[in-house]
Amino acid sequence: MLVCFVLDPRLEKSSGERRLSFLYDSLRAVDDKLGGRLLVVRGRPEREIPRLANAVDASTVHISADFTPFGRRRDAAVDDALGGDIA
């Protein structure tokens, strides 16, 4: 199993210092809870998730749902890039 977080440069660019600080602190906390096994990559999720799924020969991909308009479009793009294989 691979646990990853894709840091989208579009959101990084539009976020303020406090929001990014909270995000980075949260990612460190998750990584600590996973024993250092959280993979963080920077890039467009619709490119990075299929690349990573292929690299580890994943049979399924699970995501946390986002209900904002941007998040729904992003998740749909990832789903399309994976050929509809998001669980």
Side-chain angles (χ1 to χ4, degrees), residues 4-13 39-52 70 74 78:
C4 69
F5 181 88
V6 179
L7 185 56
D8 190 328
R10 297 171 295 178
L11 290 179
E12 196 175 23
K13 183 178 177 182
L39 174 65
V40 178
V41 297
R42 178 175 277 116
R44 298 283 294 260
E46 65 271 19
R47 293 184 193 133
E48 294 303 317
I49 295 297
R51 181 183 67 80
L52 292 168
F70 177 85
R74 180 204 55 224
V78 172

